[in-house]
């Protein structure tokens, strides 16, 4: 039962009220029944010896309960009730043990007997109310709360709980009478006002709900919460104009209230006045009294609209205002960094992430965002510096190990790169994308240090996690072709990489070179022409490869011409000079 929340301190029930248990026990509680839950047949009088035995057994049971030996304590309380069926303290304790084990059905008859024997014991009734709540016996709660109000008429929680029970039973008028009764005792309160609003709205009595709030506004014109509640009632029921009127009235009273500006933004959005909506949002975001978490939730509402440039720009401006209103909050700069990134303002994004880390270095994802941006910009030194700093705080993060490994590989520090890539493969056993990339990085590094066996094993492992990793397929195929090994496998992998990423010059060049090694020169020429057509960098390697293919097709002059193009575009190998000078292919 979710709607009914009993307001008493349930920890007192769990504790067993040990400090009064001796009095409860010694009293035997044979009072006249004022409001019993169950009729109890009087037991035969106990002998003095029986009475002493029961007392000793009771305190032993309490001792066992205190050391959390619940099973032993329960057995002792049951023995007491066999000897003394009217021992309400033992009923209460045994019922609590059952309730701790979620056996509410078993606890109920014990509690019903306990309140019958001791109808003035408040905690027995409290426990019974909780039991009825847990077993959804809502219709039985009315009498329980009547008894609790009788015992403790000055406790407002019991009135609210009784009204909530009526609310669940849809006895709305009875619930309203309870609130009237409580108001006569304690005077008006916001809790009573809000509770009445809930009932009026369930009854569809919008006018009544509004009238009470309008009266509260007249009595307390400086209390913004009444304006906000009234505007929410109007707005949620399609009465936007009335909501707007109330909020404009509130704005005149307190122009700096951020919640009023947020509410105005909601109304303007519903009225399709986007400019006015955004203006109110900016006023709210500039107000430090509005919680940053609430603002972040609003910004996240822009995410689904991010294909629209206006949505990105709006989210960016609101996130900037976060840093103005909350200059000491790391979260503000982290969100600002994310929005700058969405708007491809990479330099500014890096600065925002660094500021966020400066304010709070204990949020890993901000470190990762910063390093990702640095690596995407090929800022290798910054990637290593900030990545290794992050790993000093979060050493077990697979992605960070991978990115730092990539950076060291870019600097041709392959042993360092191998260490980080190996760390990544050992840390992220669930992330198949990261595992594929990390093993692929291992393959690249092992190739660079001429450990071909380890390189091939790493590439095979990478492809086992992601058979369609196009870059792994391309690199693996190219390195096999350089060694003239497993050329059929290389051809299959290279062909697949071109299916996955068509019109990629480097992939087409690889496939042409594999075909060349297979002595399929005509096919190799077709793919090399594709590579040259799609290449934007005038790659020396591609001109050299094209010359090699033309030579074997018998076009010697064209071959030499392309070797010369390779040299003019940066090709510097002695083999290339030999090809030009001797006008023939050379390994």
């Amino acid at each position: 039962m979710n709607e009914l929340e009993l307001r008493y301190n349930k920890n007192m029930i769990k504790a067993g009220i040990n400090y009064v248990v001796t009095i409860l026990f010694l009293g035997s509680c044979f009072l006249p029944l004022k409001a019993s839950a169950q009729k109890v047949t009087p037991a035969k009088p106990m002998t003095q010896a029986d009475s002493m035995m029961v007392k000793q057994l009771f305190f032993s049971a309490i001792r066992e309960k205190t050391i959390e030996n619940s099973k032993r304590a329960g057995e002792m309380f049951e023995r007491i009730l066999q000897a003394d069926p009217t021992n309400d303290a033992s009923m209460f304790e045994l019922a609590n043990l059952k309730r701790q084990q979620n056996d509410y059905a078993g606890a109920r008859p014990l509690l019903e007997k306990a309140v019958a024997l001791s109808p003035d014991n408040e905690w027995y009734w409290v426990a019974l109310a909780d039991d009825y709540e847990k077993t959804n016996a809502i219709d039985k709660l009315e009498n329980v709360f009547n008894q609790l109000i009788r015992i403790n008429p000055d406790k407002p929680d019991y009135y609210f709980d009784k009204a909530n029970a009526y609310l669940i039973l849809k006895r709305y008028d009875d619930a309203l009478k309870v609130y009237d009764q409580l108001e006569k005792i304690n005077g008006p309160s916001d809790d009573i006002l809000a509770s009445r609003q809930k009932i009026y709205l369930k009854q569809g009595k919008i006018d009544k709900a509004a009238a009470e709030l309008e009266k509260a506004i007249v009595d307390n014109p400086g209390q913004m919460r009444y304006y906000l509640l009234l505007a929410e009632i109007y707005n949620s029921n399609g009465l936007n104009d009335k909501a707007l009127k109330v909020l404009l009235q509130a704005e005149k009273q307190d122009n700096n209230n951020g919640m009023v500006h947020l509410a105005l933004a909601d109304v303007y959005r519903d009225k399709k006045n986007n400019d006015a909506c955004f203006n109110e949002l900016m006023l709210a975001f500039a107000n430090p009294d509005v919680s940053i978490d609430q603002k972040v939730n609003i910004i996240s509402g822009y995410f689904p609209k991010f294909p629209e440039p206006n949505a990105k720009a709006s989210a960016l401006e609101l996130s900037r205002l976060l840093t103005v209103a909350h200059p000491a909050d790391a979260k503000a700069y982290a969100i600002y960094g994310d929005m700058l990134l969405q708007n491809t303002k990479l330099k500014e994004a890096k600065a925002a992430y660094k500021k966020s880390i400066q304010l709070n270095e204990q949020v890993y994802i901000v470190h990762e965002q910063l390093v990702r941006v640095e690596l995407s910009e090929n800022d290798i030194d910054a990637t290593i510096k900030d990545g290794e700093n992050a790993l000093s705080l979060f050493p077990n993060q697979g992605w960070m190990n991978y990115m730092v490994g990539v950076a060291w590989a870019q600097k041709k520090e392959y042993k360092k790169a191998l260490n980080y890539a190996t760390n990544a493969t050992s840390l992220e056993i669930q992330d198949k994308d990261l595992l594929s990339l990390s093993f692929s990085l291992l393959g690249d590094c092992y190739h660079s240090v001429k450990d071909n066996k380890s390189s091939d094993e790493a590439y095979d492992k990478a492809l086992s996690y992601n058979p369609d990793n196009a870059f792994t397929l391309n690199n693996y195929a190219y390195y096999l072709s350089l060694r003239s090994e497993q050329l059929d496998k290389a051809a299959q992998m290279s062909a697949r990489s071109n299916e996955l990423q068509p019109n990629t010059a480097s992939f087409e060049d690889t496939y042409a070179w594999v075909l060349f090694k297979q002595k399929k020169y005509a096919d190799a020429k077709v793919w090399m022409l594709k590579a040259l057509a799609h290449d934007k960098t005038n790659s020396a390697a591609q001109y050299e490869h094209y010359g090699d293919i033309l030579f074997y097709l018998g076009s010697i002059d064209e071959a030499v011409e392309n070797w010369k193009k390779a040299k003019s575009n940066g090709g510097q190998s002695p083999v290339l000079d030999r090809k030009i000078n001797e006008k023939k292919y050379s390994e």
Side-chain angles (χ1 to χ4, degrees):
M1 177 179 49
N2 295 326
E3 289 193 53
L4 181 60
E5 295 179 359
L6 304 179
R7 300 173 181 235
Y8 43 78
N9 188 343
K10 296 182 182 178
N11 290 327
M12 296 183 71
I13 302 171
K14 294 180 180 178
I17 322 302
N18 293 336
Y19 63 91
V20 296
V21 81
T22 305
I23 298 172
L24 293 172
F25 173 76
L26 295 175
S28 294
C29 300
F30 290 111
L31 297 174
L33 298 184
K34 295 182 180 178
S36 64
Q38 180 172 315
K39 188 174 182 181
V40 178
T41 303
K44 295 179 181 179
M46 296 177 64
T47 65
Q48 186 174 1
D50 289 339
S51 179
M52 288 302 297
M53 181 273 291
V54 167
K55 288 178 184 178
Q56 292 174 0
L57 192 57
F58 184 86
F59 290 115
S60 294
I62 292 296
R63 198 160 46 244
E64 294 295 331
K65 190 191 86 165
T66 302
I67 63 174
E68 298 185 357
N69 190 352
S70 299
K71 182 179 180 182
R72 179 65 177 153
E75 291 170 350
M76 290 181 172
F77 287 129
E78 287 175 349
R79 285 176 58 192
I80 292 171
L81 291 174
Q82 289 173 1
D84 180 8
T86 62
N87 193 305
D88 53 277
S90 293
M91 293 174 191
F92 177 68
E93 293 291 348
L94 183 57
N96 280 340
L97 290 175
K98 290 181 179 294
R99 292 168 64 242
Q100 288 172 12
Q101 298 170 355
N102 295 322
D103 182 10
Y104 295 100
R108 181 190 292 191
L110 291 165
L111 291 170
E112 289 175 339
K113 288 179 183 177
V115 296
L117 288 163
S118 184
D120 290 330
N121 187 302
E122 182 175 355
W123 306 116
Y124 290 4
W125 287 105
V126 166
L128 183 58
D130 183 61
D131 190 283
Y132 286 156
E133 175 199 352
K134 292 295 192 303
T135 56
N136 207 30
I138 310 303
D139 57 321
K140 294 180 178 292
L141 285 170
E142 178 179 13
N143 177 60
V144 175
F145 290 123
N146 283 338
Q147 300 306 317
L148 285 167
I149 290 170
R150 173 183 62 80
I151 295 166
N152 192 348
D154 295 327
K155 188 165 185 177
D157 291 349
Y158 295 148
Y159 295 87
F160 280 109
D161 290 332
K162 181 180 178 181
N164 283 340
Y166 284 142
L167 187 61
I168 294 169
L169 294 169
K170 298 183 179 180
R171 293 170 57 180
Y172 301 130
D173 290 338
D174 289 331
L176 289 170
K177 289 176 184 176
V178 175
Y179 294 133
D180 291 342
Q181 183 183 4
L182 180 59
E183 191 171 61
K184 287 178 182 177
I185 297 171
N186 289 342
S189 74
D190 284 354
D191 283 342
I192 294 175
L193 178 62
S195 298
R196 280 192 179 123
Q197 299 303 307
K198 186 176 181 180
I199 292 175
Y200 288 142
L201 293 175
K202 281 184 175 292
Q203 291 177 314
K205 298 178 179 178
I206 298 171
D207 291 344
K208 271 201 167 185
E212 286 217 349
L213 285 168
E214 286 169 353
K215 181 179 183 302
I217 289 171
V218 171
D219 294 340
N220 304 274
Q223 294 296 331
M224 293 297 103
R225 62 183 181 275
Y226 298 134
Y227 296 91
L228 292 167
L229 283 171
L230 181 56
E232 173 60 25
I233 287 173
Y234 283 142
N235 204 34
S236 60
N237 286 277
L239 302 172
N240 306 120
D241 291 335
K242 287 189 173 183
L244 180 59
K245 182 179 178 181
V246 170
L247 291 170
L248 291 175
Q249 183 183 351
E251 190 178 31
K252 288 181 180 178
Q253 289 286 335
D254 185 359
N255 187 46
N256 294 319
N257 190 291
M259 299 308 297
V260 171
H261 290 300
L262 283 182
L264 279 166
D266 285 342
V267 173
Y268 284 129
R269 184 183 62 248
D270 291 342
K271 292 172 73 66
K272 310 298 183 186
N273 190 339
N274 294 330
D275 290 341
C277 172
F278 188 69
N279 288 336
E280 293 296 336
L281 283 177
M282 287 197 295
L283 290 171
F285 270 63
N287 190 323
D289 293 333
V290 179
S291 79
I292 188 171
D293 290 332
Q294 190 169 1
K295 294 171 181 175
V296 169
N297 286 337
I298 292 170
I299 292 174
S300 67
Y302 282 88
F303 293 173
K305 303 176 183 176
F306 270 3
E308 303 171 16
N310 287 343
K312 286 186 179 182
S314 296
L316 177 60
E317 176 59 17
L318 292 177
S319 64
R320 184 192 68 79
L321 289 172
L322 277 186
T323 65
V324 175
H326 308 276
D329 196 317
K331 188 186 299 183
Y333 290 94
I335 296 298
Y336 187 36
D338 288 345
M339 295 306 102
L340 286 164
L341 190 58
Q342 286 291 331
N343 285 269
T344 64
K345 297 178 180 293
L346 302 187
K347 181 179 178 181
E348 295 88 341
K350 286 192 295 183
Y353 288 137
K354 287 180 179 179
K355 179 65 175 179
S356 178
I357 291 168
Q358 180 185 338
L359 290 168
N360 180 8
E361 65 179 5
Q362 296 303 316
V363 182
Y364 167 73
I365 190 62
V366 183
H367 291 272
E368 184 174 312
Q369 288 288 81
L370 171 62
V371 174
R372 282 182 182 276
V373 174
E374 290 170 339
L375 189 58
S376 71
E377 288 195 307
N378 205 34
D379 190 347
I380 302 305
D381 290 336
T383 298
I384 292 171
K385 177 186 174 184
D386 292 323
E388 291 187 338
N389 175 62
L391 287 171
S392 71
L393 299 167
F394 308 95
N396 296 325
Q397 291 294 335
W399 276 106
M400 191 63 72
N401 274 279
Y402 167 73
M403 289 188 291
V404 175
V406 170
W408 279 118
Q410 291 289 317
K411 291 177 76 71
K412 302 187 186 307
E413 294 276 0
Y414 298 114
K415 288 185 179 179
K416 290 182 179 179
L418 283 167
N419 286 335
Y420 285 106
T422 301
N423 287 344
T425 61
S426 66
L427 291 169
E428 293 294 341
I429 59 174
Q430 301 297 328
D431 192 332
K432 290 186 177 181
D433 288 337
L434 176 56
L435 287 169
S436 179
L437 290 170
S438 298
F439 277 110
S440 185
L441 175 60
L442 285 173
D444 293 342
C445 293
Y446 280 128
H447 167 77
S448 297
V449 297
K450 303 188 184 311
D451 185 348
N452 294 332
K453 182 176 181 295
S454 296
S455 177
D456 291 353
E457 289 174 352
Y459 283 136
D460 285 330
K461 195 76 172 176
L463 293 173
S464 74
Y465 288 109
N466 182 5
D468 287 337
N469 185 325
F471 287 93
T472 302
L473 290 166
N474 176 73
N475 290 0
Y476 193 7
Y478 186 64
Y479 295 146
L480 286 175
S481 72
L482 290 179
R483 288 152 34 200
S484 296
E485 295 177 3
Q486 303 183 67
L487 292 177
D488 288 343
K489 178 178 180 178
Q492 290 175 356
M493 291 191 296
S494 184
R496 179 59 180 155
S497 71
N498 280 283
E499 290 175 1
L500 294 167
Q501 291 198 20
N503 304 325
T504 303
S506 60
F507 289 7
E508 292 164 337
D509 173 49
T510 295
Y511 193 31
W513 192 243
V514 173
L515 292 168
F516 173 82
K517 284 300 185 92
Q518 290 180 311
K519 299 183 179 180
K520 298 178 181 179
Y521 303 120
D523 292 336
K525 179 180 179 181
V526 171
W527 280 92
M528 187 54 68
L529 286 171
K530 290 182 179 181
L532 291 169
H534 295 132
D535 180 44
K536 306 299 182 185
T537 63
N538 290 318
S539 165
Q542 290 177 19
Y543 282 121
E544 184 174 357
H545 287 165
Y546 188 38
D548 297 342
I549 294 167
L550 290 170
F551 176 84
Y552 276 98
L553 287 172
S555 301
I556 307 301
D557 292 340
E558 285 188 72
V560 173
E561 182 183 342
N562 278 277
W563 289 331
K564 288 180 178 179
K565 284 184 180 179
K567 186 172 179 63
S568 66
N569 281 287
Q572 297 177 352
S573 72
V575 174
L576 179 58
D577 289 335
R578 192 181 311 132
K579 291 176 184 177
I580 295 170
N581 294 331
E582 297 178 3
K583 297 185 178 182
K584 68 177 183 178
Y585 175 77
S586 179
E587 291 285 352

